[in-house]
Amino acid sequence: MPKPVVAIPADIREIEGNVWQATPNQYVRAAVKGADVIPFLVPALESGHDFDEILDRVDGLLVSGSRTNVHPSHFGREATETDGPFDLARDATSLPLIKRALERGVPLLAICRGLQELNVALGGTLANEIQEIPGNWDHRKPDTADLDVAYGIRQEVHVKEGSCLASVIGPGTVRVNSLHRQAISAAAPRLAVEAVAEDGTIEAVSVIGSKAFAVGVQWHPEYWVGSDDPSNRLFKAFGEAVRAYAAGKLAPAMRQAAG
Ligand SMILES: N[C@@H](CCC(=O)NCCCC(=O)O)C(=O)O
């Protein structure tokens, strides 16, 4: 069977005075090393995508993190000064792609901003600057140029017994990294909360009744694929779901070819 392909929606980035389609290499590396799939970057466009044409060509969807925030208009709020920075093209690409992938049963792993997009795509809302909520922990990216420190594992989350995530990384306490200012405020009706931080912040969800693997995590397993067991397990499970989906797509064609 050919190696399956996983779509990764890109971000718009300004680099050296030009506008780039970009995604951090850690997501590409985790897709290759952790899930054993072929990554396929999908450009961020404010319009013009045919999402079925994209999903016809892939076997999974990996929605990455980003320093930008989902525009509040996507969850019924006016934008304020502190809500940015935004990436309207990323929103316009990833939100409908997530929805259509779920409708078609394409396996989905959503990370950080990706989890927030999954929630918004299914009708949930987000809270901003959550570190300012009394009693909350500071979940923001540490102020350092050293990525190993920024993505350092430094927070405990509790994975719920019997959850989809628990079947992958085990129930109970798991240590993760944390690089976010926003979080799920109202979880979408179709989301099951699967892990929470000690301050109650939602740290992982799965899609109730999904046709395939559909998990979102607020932390960054992609960064430590190769050395961190829960990260390895999560990407391995995603890769297995993608291969099962790809095999299911191939089956009718193989039956037809066999006559
Ligand atoms: N912008 C959102 C999502 C945060 C996120 O995806 N962080 C990963 C990238 C970190 C970085 O490069 O700054 C939020 O802040 O909640």
Side-chain angles (χ1 to χ4, degrees):
M1 189 176 92
K3 188 167 286 192
V5 176
V6 165
I8 305 176
D11 291 353
I12 293 291
R13 278 284 184 273
E14 291 195 13
I15 304 171
E16 296 167 353
N18 205 338
V19 178
W20 291 55
Q21 299 279 350
T23 198
N25 186 56
Q26 64 211 55
Y27 299 95
V28 173
R29 191 181 68 84
V32 172
K33 300 282 185 197
D36 190 24
V37 297
I38 298 171
F40 167 84
L41 266 60
V42 176
L45 302 179
E46 288 205 50
S47 63
H49 267 316
D50 181 323
F51 298 106
D52 278 318
E53 289 285 351
I54 295 170
L55 293 170
D56 285 349
R57 289 162 173 77
V58 301
D59 308 296
L61 178 59
L62 173 60
V63 191
S64 73
S66 173
R67 65 183 181 81
T68 62
N69 293 331
V70 179
H71 195 280
S73 60
H74 289 293
F75 49 97
R77 267 218 299 106
E78 293 290 318
T80 65
E81 281 303 306
T82 63
D83 285 332
F86 300 123
D87 184 345
L88 302 184
R90 161 75 187 253
D91 291 346
T93 300
S94 55
L95 292 171
L97 197 56
I98 288 168
K99 269 191 268 197
R100 191 66 187 125
L102 290 172
E103 287 165 0
R104 293 180 49 153
V106 176
L108 163 72
L109 177 57
I111 293 172
C112 205
R113 191 197 210 261
L115 164 134
Q116 296 166 3
E117 288 169 311
L118 172 60
N119 184 52
V120 169
L122 293 181
T125 63
L126 303 178
N128 205 1
E129 304 308 335
I130 58 167
Q131 67 281 350
E132 293 171 7
I133 299 170
N136 261 18
W137 202 69
D138 189 344
H139 294 255
R140 288 176 295 184
K141 176 183 181 181
D143 183 13
T144 171
D146 182 335
L147 283 181
D148 284 354
V149 174
Y151 283 85
I153 289 177
R154 58 192 181 96
Q155 174 191 311
E156 287 187 347
V157 300
H158 181 78
V159 179
K160 293 186 179 178
E161 189 89 28
S163 63
C164 174
L165 188 62
S167 70
V168 174
I169 66 173
T173 301
V174 63
R175 288 183 55 76
V176 299
N177 48 24
S178 185
L179 298 92
H180 62 107
R181 301 163 33 213
Q182 292 195 322
I184 290 177
S185 176
R190 278 193 63 196
L191 291 184
V193 174
E194 299 221 334
V196 291
E198 290 162 356
D199 62 5
T201 298
I202 293 172
E203 291 282 344
V205 296
S206 68
V207 177
I208 298 166
S210 63
K211 299 171 186 171
F213 182 97
V215 170
V217 290
Q218 187 63 78
W219 67 87
H220 287 268
E222 82 289 349
Y223 191 84
W224 295 108
V225 159
S227 59
D228 173 64
D229 187 56
S231 302
N232 294 338
R233 288 171 180 264
L234 190 52
F235 269 86
K236 183 171 184 295
F238 176 55
E240 286 166 359
V242 166
R243 264 179 287 287
Y245 176 81
K249 276 197 325 188
L250 268 181
M254 289 172 74
R255 276 198 295 273
Q256 194 174 5

